[in-house]
Amino acid sequence: MYTTFEEEERKSLLDGRSLRVLEYDKIRSILTTKAKSAGGKELCESLLPTSDVKLAELRQKETDDAVRYLLSQGQLPLSGLFDIRPSISMAAAGARLTQKALLSVAAFLRASERVLSVAHEVEAKADDELFIRIRAVRPIPKLEKDISFCILSEEEINDRASDELYRLRRKIRELQGKVRDTLDSIIRNHASALQEQLVTLRGERYVVPVKSEKRGEIPGIVHDTSSSGQTVFIEPMAVVEANNRIRELLSEEKEEIEKILARLSEEVSKNADLLEQDFHFLSEIDFLSAKANLSLQMRGSRPILNDEGRIHLRKARHPLIPKERVVPIDFMIGSQYRTLVITGPNTGGKTVSLKTCGLFSLMAMAGLQIPALDHSEVSVFRRVLADIGDEQSIEQSLSTFSSHMRNLVEILHEAGDSSLVLVDELGSGTDPSEGAALAIAILDHLRRQGAVTVATTHYKELKGYAIETEGVENACCEFDADTLSPTYRLLIGLPGVSNAFLISRKLGLPDDIISSAQTLLSEEGLRFEELLSSAEQNNRESEKLKKEIREIRDHAREQEELLRKERELTEAKRAAILAQAREEKRELLDEALEEADRLLRELRLAEKEKNKRDSEEKILRIRQNLRAGLSDLSAETKTQGPASHPGEKPDEVRVGGFYYAPSFDVVGTVVKGPDNRGVCVLQAGSMRVNVKAADLRIPDEQAIKEKTKPSKKGNARSAPNPPIYGSTTRTNKSSTILPEIQLLGMTVDEAIPVLDRYLDDCTLSGMATVRIVHGKGTGALRSAVSQFLRQDPRVRRFRLGTFGEGEDGVTIAEL
C-alpha cells in the first residue's frame, strides 16, 4: 500500500500552520480532483512530504514514469473503479450482497482487466513504477462473467441464472397466460358490468374493475375499491386458485434469487484477499495518474533532489497564480549562502517568492513535479517551518507583533541544520529600531544553527547585515520607477530600494515636504539609497541589453537556418538538372550503340550467302569506323579541359571578384576562399558552388555567348553540350561499370558483341584498365578476343594475365 508517514515523523517535519500558510493543502485539493476512484482520492488527500531523500526520489520517479506514459499513450482506462471495500467486508462477514453491490464488483473486475491489458499492449522497463503496479493487478474473469451473466441490472436477474429459476419463471408465465385468458373471457361475457375492459393487479393478484352497482354479476373476492366508490376490483372465483399458485411460485422465485445472490456473495468472499489487493494497486495507479495529470496541467518538471540544503529554481511559476499573470522567477540558496534577505516595496512579490520557495520544497518532497524549467534543484529538509501572514487574535489578546513572535519562538526551538525557515516581514509590528535589532539577532541565531533561512523585511539595517555577514545574501523584487509598479522579478545579490520619496513625488506630494523629509535622513542613508537605486537602474538596463542580444542571436540563428535550407534546395535542384542531363546523354549514346548493333546485324544477314572472308572484312571496317567515332568522342570529352574554356585565366583569385566557372558554365562572384586546397565558393544568384581557383576564368562576354549559343535547328541532339556533361557522364558510367567482364560459356559470335559494348562503356567512363575473363578451354575464344583487341583503336595495348591474375584464362587490356 502507498503509505504516508508515521505520526511522529509528521510532527517533526511540519505542522498544520506550515502546510496552510504555504498553501500546500490547496495543491493537494487540486490533486484530489484529478483522481477518479475513491481509493485514489484518499491517497491524494493523505499525501504529505517526506524527509527521506530516497523515498522522495522514488516518489518523483513514480510521477515521472506516469507522465511519460500519459505523454506517449494518453489516459489510462480507469473508469469503473467503484469503492468495493464495503462489499468485500460484508461478503467476508457472510452477508448477502445486493444486486447493485455485485454489479459494482463486476464493473471493478472489468476495469482491472482493462488496466492489465495496458501491460500487454505497451512495452515498459522492468523498473517502471507505474507498470510494476499494473503488472501486479490480478483480475478474476470467472467471477466477473458469472456476476454479469446472472445479474442484468439492479432490478433484473437473468432467467438462466439457475435451472430452478428458469423452471419457476416458465411455470409462472404459463399460469399468468391462463389467468389472462380466463379474465379476457369474463370481460367479453360481462362487458356491461365492467367499468373498463381491462385486467389489472392488486396485491400481485389479477383482478377486473367492476361497477359497484353490478358487483353481484361477477362472483369473486373484492380486493380494492376506487376513491370514488364507483368501482370495485374483483378477483373472479374462476382464477382464485390460479392466482394462489402464481403467488406460491413468485415466493419460490424470490427464494431462488436469494440463493443466487448468496452464491455470488460467497464467491466474492472467497476472493476477498485478491479483490482487496487489486483495489490497493488500482488505487495507487489512479493516484500516480492524478500526479501525472497535475504535472501536465502545471507544465511541471522533475526536480533534482539533494539533502544538503541547495535550492535552485529556474523560471519557477507559482502554481496558484493564474498563468496569464504569474511572473517566472529564478531563486537560489544553499550553495554560497544559506540565508537570504529579500527587501523591496509592498506588493512587489516578496511574499510570493517566499511562498514559491517553500511550496516547491514541499511539493518536491511529496513526489509532485514543480512548475519550473528542467534541471531545477530542490533540497529535502527534515523540517519546513514558516511564519507568513498576520495571525493576531482578539480572543487571545495577541497583537500582530505578539502573534509573529510566538511563531518565531516555536521556530527557533525546532530549527536545525536540516530545516527550511521562511519568515515574512521579520521584526515588523513594533518600534523600527528594536524590530531591526531583533530581526538581525534572529537571523544570526538561525545562521549559527545551520538552517536555510529566507526572510522578507523593510528594514534597511538588514540590508547592511546581509552585505557585511558571510553566508548571508541580499535580494530584492524589482520595481519600475517609471510606471510606479512592481515587475515581480526577483533579483538576487541586490538589496531593494524603498522608493518612498520617488513614489510620493509622482503621486503629487509637494517638493518642499519631500525635501524636508530628506533633510531628516542621514547623509550616509541618502547616499546608500541613491547607490541602490542606481544599481537597480543599471541592472534593468543590463537585462534589457541581454534580452536584445538574445533576440538578435535568435534572429541570426533563424536566418542561418533559412540560408541553409535555401542552399540545400539549390543543391537539390542543381543535382536534379545534372541528373537529367546525364540521363539524356546516356539515352543518346544508347540509341547510337543500338543503331550500330542493328546495322551490324543487318550486314551479317546480308553477307551470309557471300564469301565469309569478304563479309568479315566489311564488318570489321564498319566496326572500325564506329569505334573511331566513339574514340573521337571520348578523346574530345577527356581532352576538354580548362584551356578549351573561354576567358583568360586570372593571376590571382580575390573574394568579391567576378569570374566565369567553365565546369558549371556560370558567371558569379567569389564569396569565400581560396582555402588551403585551392577551392573557392562562387555565388551566382541564389546558387553557391565550390570550384577550384585554377579553373576560374576572367569573363569574356562574347566567348561565353558563343560557347552557350543554342543550335539553330533547335534539335536537342545537335545542341552543344555544356562543358560539365563530359565529366558527369564519366562519373555516371564509372559508378555502374565494373573493371572486369565475364565471357565464360559464350561462343565467339556471342562474346565479341558483348565485349564490344563493354569497351564502349569503359571508354565513356574513362576507365584505364579492364580485365577480360574468357577462360582457357580450346583457346578459340582467347584468340578471337586477342584478334578483336589488336584491331580496336580504343585499346592501347593488351596482354595475357600473369600468375595471380588468371594466367591464360584472362586478358588485361589498357584503353
Side-chain angles (χ1 to χ4, degrees):
M1 187 68 181
Y2 195 98
T3 57
T4 54
F5 299 107
E6 297 295 335
E7 198 63 32
E8 293 182 1
E9 185 178 5
R10 295 185 185 184
K11 291 179 180 178
S12 67
L13 175 64
L14 41 77
D15 56 16
R17 184 178 66 251
S18 295
L19 293 177
R20 185 178 68 258
V21 300
L22 293 174
E23 300 177 295
Y24 174 82
D25 54 339
K26 294 182 180 179
I27 297 297
R28 195 165 49 185
S29 296
I30 297 173
L31 174 66
T32 303
T33 64
K34 304 296 180 185
K36 298 181 179 179
S37 67
K41 290 182 182 296
E42 289 175 6
L43 289 174
C44 293
E45 290 169 353
S46 62
L47 178 64
L48 286 175
T50 175
S51 59
D52 185 340
V53 67
K54 291 183 179 178
L55 180 57
E57 283 282 9
L58 176 61
R59 291 183 173 184
Q60 285 291 342
K61 185 178 185 303
E62 291 171 352
T63 307
D64 201 46
D65 290 342
V67 167
R68 271 202 309 274
Y69 176 87
L70 262 60
L71 288 175
S72 62
Q73 304 297 327
Q75 297 295 327
L76 284 160
L78 296 174
S79 60
L81 293 180
F82 294 99
D83 188 357
I84 61 171
R85 287 173 296 181
S87 300
I88 297 173
S89 299
M90 290 177 61
R96 178 184 56 78
L97 300 180
T98 64
Q99 293 173 219
K100 181 179 180 181
L102 287 167
L103 286 173
S104 296
V105 172
F108 178 85
L109 290 171
R110 286 193 295 274
S112 65
E113 290 181 13
R114 288 194 300 271
V115 172
L116 184 59
S117 67
V118 171
H120 304 300
E121 297 170 358
V122 180
E123 293 185 5
K125 296 180 180 179
D127 65 342
D128 188 298
E129 293 296 331
L130 176 65
F131 276 82
I132 287 174
R133 290 163 173 80
I134 291 176
R135 297 188 192 102
V137 175
R138 292 291 178 268
I140 313 171
K142 183 178 181 304
L143 178 58
E144 185 276 322
K145 290 178 181 177
D146 199 5
I147 295 174
S148 299
F149 176 77
C150 293
I151 305 176
L152 301 179
S153 69
E154 294 182 13
E155 294 83 21
E156 186 178 2
I157 299 291
N158 189 358
D159 292 352
R160 297 287 184 176
S162 72
D163 293 340
E164 179 65 13
L165 181 64
Y166 178 74
R167 184 190 68 79
L168 290 170
R169 286 184 171 177
R170 186 178 62 180
K171 187 65 177 174
I172 290 170
R173 283 192 291 269
E174 289 175 358
L175 287 173
Q176 287 173 340
K178 290 180 180 179
V179 169
R180 281 186 172 277
D181 290 343
T182 302
L183 292 177
D184 287 342
S185 176
I186 292 172
I187 289 172
R188 287 193 300 272
N189 296 330
H190 300 83
S192 60
L194 298 178
Q195 193 75 8
E196 290 182 86
Q197 296 186 11
L198 56 82
V199 178
T200 185
L201 281 171
R202 284 295 186 274
E204 297 184 352
R205 302 183 75 87
Y206 288 97
V207 297
V208 292
V210 181
K211 297 176 181 178
S212 297
E213 65 273 15
K214 296 188 178 183
R215 59 190 302 176
E217 294 186 14
I218 301 177
I221 301 171
V222 177
H223 286 278
D224 198 5
T225 304
S226 67
S227 58
S228 63
Q230 295 180 358
T231 304
V232 292
F233 296 93
I234 297 176
E235 178 186 6
M237 296 302 296
V239 298
V240 170
E241 186 61 31
N243 274 335
N244 289 339
R245 180 56 182 157
I246 289 174
R247 291 202 64 172
E248 291 174 3
L249 291 173
L250 289 173
S251 178
E252 292 178 20
E253 177 195 28
K254 187 176 181 180
E255 290 178 3
E256 182 61 23
I257 290 174
E258 295 291 333
K259 291 179 182 179
I260 293 169
L261 296 179
R263 176 177 62 81
L264 295 175
S265 300
E266 185 179 358
E267 289 298 317
V268 172
S269 176
K270 290 178 181 178
N271 292 279
D273 292 340
L274 194 54
L275 286 169
E276 287 182 354
Q277 178 181 299
D278 281 354
F279 182 84
H280 150 64
F281 285 120
L282 288 168
S283 295
E284 289 193 7
I285 291 167
D286 185 27
F287 171 62
L288 298 188
S289 176
K291 291 201 297 180
N293 278 303
L294 178 65
S295 176
L296 295 177
Q297 176 183 311
M298 298 188 307
R299 292 181 292 130
S301 65
R302 179 180 179 178
I304 301 170
L305 299 182
N306 69 80
D307 56 358
E308 300 171 1
R310 291 192 310 277
I311 300 176
H312 183 191
L313 304 179
R314 302 174 61 245
K315 302 299 179 187
R317 309 176 306 277
H318 196 288
L320 298 178
I321 300 177
K323 295 178 181 179
E324 62 276 7
R325 288 173 44 203
V326 67
V327 177
I329 64 169
D330 293 321
F331 188 95
M332 288 185 295
I333 195 172
S335 296
Q336 300 176 353
Y337 51 89
R338 292 175 71 86
T339 302
L340 187 66
V341 178
I342 305 177
T343 53
N346 288 328
T347 69
K350 300 192 304 297
T351 304
V352 171
S353 299
L354 198 71
K355 286 187 173 182
T356 300
C357 170
L359 180 59
F360 278 34
S361 298
L362 295 176
M363 290 175 63
M365 293 158 64
L368 300 176
Q369 296 190 348
I370 58 175
L373 295 184
D374 289 338
H375 306 296
S376 292
E377 191 170 5
V378 177
S379 177
V380 173
F381 295 98
R382 179 69 182 172
R383 295 177 179 85
V384 177
L385 305 165
D387 176 42
I388 301 174
D390 187 359
E391 297 186 27
Q392 61 177 319
S393 171
I394 296 176
E395 292 80 3
Q396 300 179 26
S397 299
L398 292 176
S399 66
T400 299
F401 176 76
S402 299
S403 175
H404 282 301
M405 191 52 60
R406 184 187 61 181
N407 295 338
L408 286 171
V409 170
E410 294 178 3
I411 288 173
L412 293 174
H413 177 70
E414 297 179 11
D417 60 357
S418 183
S419 301
L420 174 63
V421 179
L422 306 168
V423 185
D424 192 26
E425 299 296 347
L426 180 60
S428 63
T430 187
D431 179 78
S433 59
E434 292 180 354
L438 277 173
I440 292 174
I442 290 170
L443 288 180
D444 213 42
H445 178 79
L446 291 170
R447 181 178 63 84
R448 290 195 303 271
Q449 287 182 308
V452 175
T453 306
V454 184
T456 68
T457 183
H458 284 286
Y459 295 138
K460 64 181 179 181
E461 289 85 352
L462 268 69
K463 303 175 187 177
Y465 167 76
I467 293 173
E468 296 171 355
T469 307
E470 185 178 358
V472 184
E473 184 60 88
N474 271 303
C476 70
C477 289
E478 188 180 51
F479 186 85
D480 191 335
D482 296 328
T483 62
L484 297 182
S485 60
T487 66
Y488 303 105
R489 294 177 60 248
L490 184 67
L491 306 177
I492 294 179
L494 189 67
V497 182
S498 65
N499 293 303
F501 294 149
L502 176 63
I503 295 173
S504 299
R505 178 177 284 110
K506 291 201 173 185
L507 291 177
L509 190 67
D511 289 342
D512 57 337
I513 295 178
I514 294 174
S515 300
S516 177
Q518 288 175 335
T519 60
L520 299 177
L521 291 176
S522 65
E523 186 177 348
E524 292 79 5
L526 283 173
R527 284 204 303 269
F528 183 66
E529 289 293 321
E530 290 174 358
L531 178 63
L532 292 181
S533 180
S534 176
E536 188 174 334
Q537 178 65 26
N538 290 336
N539 183 76
R540 284 198 299 270
E541 293 177 358
S542 174
E543 289 296 324
K544 183 179 179 181
L545 288 174
K546 287 180 181 179
K547 182 180 179 182
E548 291 177 355
I549 290 171
R550 284 195 298 269
E551 290 175 352
I552 292 172
R553 185 169 60 244
D554 293 342
H555 180 69
R557 287 175 181 170
E558 291 175 1
Q559 293 299 315
E560 182 181 3
E561 180 66 15
L562 288 174
L563 290 174
R564 184 186 65 78
K565 290 181 179 179
E566 280 189 20
R567 184 166 61 249
E568 290 177 353
L569 181 61
T570 301
E571 289 296 328
K573 289 181 178 179
R574 174 178 173 274
I577 293 172
L578 294 177
Q580 182 181 358
R582 286 194 295 268
E583 183 64 21
E584 290 176 356
K585 184 153 190 177
R586 187 187 63 78
E587 291 176 356
L588 290 175
L589 292 172
D590 287 345
E591 289 176 6
L593 291 172
E594 288 175 4
E595 181 68 15
D597 288 341
R598 185 184 64 76
L599 291 173
L600 287 173
R601 287 195 298 271
E602 290 178 359
L603 286 172
R604 287 194 181 101
L605 292 173
E607 296 293 335
K608 268 187 179 180
E609 296 180 358
K610 295 185 178 180
N611 185 276
K612 185 177 180 181
R613 184 170 182 177
D614 292 341
S615 176
E616 289 179 352
E617 289 177 356
K618 289 181 180 180
I619 291 172
L620 180 59
R621 283 196 299 272
I622 292 171
R623 280 181 175 169
Q624 289 175 344
N625 291 335
L626 286 171
R627 295 288 75 76
L630 288 173
S631 297
D632 291 342
L633 176 61
S634 176
E636 178 183 351
T637 303
K638 290 181 179 179
T639 58
Q640 189 175 15
S644 65
H645 298 318
E648 181 182 351
K649 186 174 182 179
D651 296 331
E652 181 182 0
V653 175
R654 297 183 178 87
V655 173
F658 196 64
Y659 302 95
Y660 172 62
S663 56
F664 293 97
D665 199 19
V666 296
V667 177
T669 305
V670 171
V671 295
K672 186 176 180 182
D675 57 15
N676 54 5
R677 297 175 299 159
V679 176
C680 305
V681 178
L682 186 73
Q683 180 163 348
S686 61
M687 181 179 71
R688 287 190 176 189
V689 295
N690 294 329
V691 62
K692 289 185 177 181
D695 293 342
L696 294 177
R697 296 291 181 269
I698 297 174
D700 183 342
E701 185 176 352
Q702 184 60 34
I704 292 173
K705 287 181 179 179
E706 291 296 329
K707 187 75 177 177
T708 58
K709 184 185 297 183
S711 172
K712 293 181 180 180
K713 296 180 180 180
N715 190 333
R717 295 189 182 183
S718 61
N721 293 320
I724 195 171
Y725 281 4
S727 61
T728 54
T729 302
R730 288 197 300 273
T731 302
N732 185 49
K733 286 293 183 183
S734 63
S735 65
T736 57
I737 300 300
L738 298 175
E740 177 182 290
I741 184 172
Q742 294 280 348
L743 302 180
L744 293 173
M746 297 184 185
T747 64
V748 172
D749 290 338
E750 292 171 342
I752 295 304
V754 171
L755 176 59
D756 186 19
R757 182 67 174 271
Y758 172 70
L759 292 180
D760 286 339
D761 292 338
C762 292
T763 302
L764 292 173
S765 69
M767 198 171 293
T769 305
V770 296
R771 184 171 182 265
I772 304 167
V773 182
H774 43 65
K776 297 179 181 180
T778 61
L781 185 55
R782 180 179 65 242
S783 299
V785 168
S786 298
Q787 182 179 357
F788 178 78
L789 296 177
R790 189 176 295 109
Q791 299 176 356
D792 197 313
R794 296 167 296 184
V795 179
R796 177 180 298 170
R797 64 176 68 87
F798 65 92
R799 60 177 174 80
L800 291 177
T802 59
F803 179 76
E805 292 180 326
E807 300 180 349
D808 293 349
V810 171
T811 296
I812 307 299
E814 296 180 17
L815 304 182

